[in-house]
Amino acid sequence: MFEDMVTARYYEERLQEEYLEGKQPAFDISAGPIPGELHLAAGQEAAAAGVCRHLRDDDTVTAPHRPHHVAIAKGVDLKRMTAEIFGRETGLCGGKGGHMHLFDPDAGFACSGIIAEGCPPAVGAGLAASKRNEDSVAVAFLGEGAISQGGFLESLNLAAVRELPVVFVIEDNDWAISMPKERVSDVADGSRRAEGFDMPGTRVDSDDAIAVSDAAKEAIGRARDRNGPSLLEVQVHRRMGHFMGDPQTYRPEADQEAAADRDSIERLAAELRRRGVEDETLESIREDAHERVDEAIEWAKDQPEPSPEDAYEDVFANPPSGVTDEEPAYDLGTDARAGAESGGDD
Ligand SMILES: Cc1ncc(C[n+]2csc(CCOP(=O)(O)OP(=O)(O)O)c2C)c(N)n1
Ligand SMILES: [Mg+2]
């Protein structure tokens, strides 16, 4: 867990540096080697590390728009993930997905910029495992801002009635962009959503990786033993803005300071020292992690960009006519197209 957590933290520190290149002094979101938004998860590493340590390669994980710590803990290839973030051809999605749309079938990992979007596919993976009689499980990560989304609630329901091997993990960082959680839900403890679906719900009140791991072990074990889904909420802390460049004018300074003061990595390091792990061991884990991250970033920056001629490749499942030379796999029909073009509701 410590290795995953220090890797994720340093990875994002390095991404930050790269991201800011060319974007200042006036923040230009389209400039620099990583154009577009970048959502960092510093302060949330314990949730990912504590959960994913109980997963196997054949288990599925879906994550939201703040995905790097989860991807790293699930074992996504660091080089190909970084190439994707830099928009390079050898990236996980050929450089066309970017940091919110990482997809790695080898590691069983996907994420999406649409909040709570990962819940239905995780239920799908759980359903597939159950129909195939396999003991793999699926885990869907989401933020506390997504706990009233229909996709999440419907997923809880389907997973419950079909007793699917799915664990839903809410990362509660108190904020949904600029919206404090008390303004979007009357339920302070998101794991109580489980009660309405008659499934076990647990909240880990701190970003203590060991406490997360204990709770996750139980939930994942329950899923693997075919005893149905669970909901787990973990209190984490957003050390950064919602996205890079967010001035956080909405956020009280005391809240920012509180998040900065609580460091789950230092907390775990202290516990490991208490249990007899030498400082040198922790330092060498950090050094190795930094080396791997630096190597991945240097490798990614050397990769070619996708060629403009291939811009539409791998983008459409059913390319509209005119976009590629290929015939559409099926025809939507001229009426449907005309309706869409005229703003009709087809
Ligand atoms: C369905 C949907 N609605 C709105 C948005 C815009 N949006 C992006 S992130 C976000 C807030 C998410 O908050 P939370 O789920 O708590 O995750 P966090 O950013 O705190 O990690 C919103 C509303 C979106 N991406 N998808
Ligand atoms: Mg949040």
Side-chain angles (χ1 to χ4, degrees):
M1 290 193 291
F2 184 73
E3 182 183 332
D4 283 342
M5 289 167 73
V6 294
T7 304
R9 180 70 61 86
Y10 183 67
Y11 185 65
E12 293 201 334
E13 282 168 8
R14 289 288 285 105
L15 283 188
Q16 242 181 95
E17 288 168 19
E18 299 289 339
Y19 182 80
L20 288 174
E21 201 187 307
K23 287 196 175 60
Q24 292 163 317
F27 190 71
D28 177 357
I29 200 161
S30 63
I34 309 176
E37 285 185 357
L38 184 68
H39 307 84
L40 301 179
Q44 305 194 182
E45 297 91 348
V51 170
C52 293
R53 71 171 292 211
H54 302 289
L55 297 178
R56 307 188 310 225
D57 286 349
D58 63 336
D59 293 329
T60 296
V61 166
T62 63
H65 54 287
R66 202 179 294 291
H68 308 140
H69 59 318
V70 186
I72 287 170
K74 182 62 175 77
V76 170
D77 185 281
L78 205 55
K79 287 185 171 165
R80 295 196 59 214
M81 166 159 120
T82 313
E84 186 57 41
I85 294 170
F86 280 82
R88 305 303 166 108
E89 199 174 36
T90 47
L92 290 170
C93 299
K96 293 168 189 166
H99 106 101
M100 283 185 272
H101 303 105
L102 307 166
F103 184 69
D104 186 351
D106 296 333
F109 179 86
C111 60
S112 163
I114 304 301
I115 67 164
E117 187 279 342
C119 298
V123 172
L127 182 60
S130 150
K131 280 186 176 284
R132 291 176 183 146
N133 234 358
E134 292 168 356
D135 71 346
S136 59
V137 304
V139 179
F141 282 82
L142 64 147
E144 90 298 330
I147 66 165
S148 299
Q149 280 280 54
F152 168 58
L153 299 169
E154 291 170 36
S155 296
L156 287 177
N157 188 56
L158 189 58
V161 294
R162 301 290 291 260
E163 295 185 349
L164 299 177
V166 185
V167 178
F168 299 90
V169 180
I170 303 166
E171 291 182 273
D172 176 7
N173 64 8
D174 296 321
W175 294 93
I177 313 183
S178 52
M179 189 61 74
K181 84 169 177 191
E182 57 274 15
R183 284 189 57 197
V184 290
S185 171
D186 278 347
V187 178
D189 172 355
S191 72
R192 289 192 52 211
R193 284 277 192 268
E195 291 168 15
F197 302 91
D198 197 20
M199 74 166 74
T202 310
R203 178 174 153 89
V204 177
D205 234 345
S206 68
D207 48 11
D208 173 354
I210 294 173
V212 176
S213 168
D214 290 345
K217 184 179 178 189
E218 202 178 317
I220 291 167
R222 188 180 301 124
R224 225 184 271 298
D225 293 343
R226 314 269 170 116
N227 291 321
S230 313
L231 175 59
L232 172 64
E233 179 169 87
V234 182
Q235 179 71 59
V236 292
H237 300 97
R238 204 181 81 187
R239 294 171 75 89
M240 315 280 298
H242 171 71
F243 54 86
M244 282 293 295
D246 175 3
Q248 301 198 81
T249 44
Y250 53 83
R251 191 173 179 188
E253 243 167 63
D255 184 67
Q256 295 189 45
E257 284 163 12
D261 283 347
R262 288 195 201 93
D263 189 339
S264 58
I265 297 182
E266 287 316 316
R267 179 183 192 141
L268 181 60
E271 179 58 22
L272 291 171
R273 277 188 212 105
R274 203 186 63 77
R275 295 185 186 197
V277 179
E278 306 270 339
D279 272 342
E280 280 162 31
T281 309
L282 296 179
E283 202 39 49
S284 90
I285 292 173
R286 269 186 215 272
E287 276 169 20
D288 288 352
H290 291 195
E291 210 170 290
R292 272 188 299 116
V293 166
D294 286 336
E295 203 182 298
I297 290 182
E298 288 321 308
W299 181 84
K301 283 163 64 176
D302 264 354
Q303 298 300 299
E305 295 191 339
S307 60
E309 301 82 64
D310 297 335
Y312 292 125
E313 208 133 293
D314 303 322
V315 173
F316 296 100
N318 185 42
S321 50
V323 165
T324 69
D325 295 337
E326 281 171 47
E327 282 298 308
Y330 58 88
D331 194 352
L332 292 173
T334 43
D335 289 350
R337 232 176 265 135
E341 275 159 20
S342 65
D345 59 4
D346 287 336

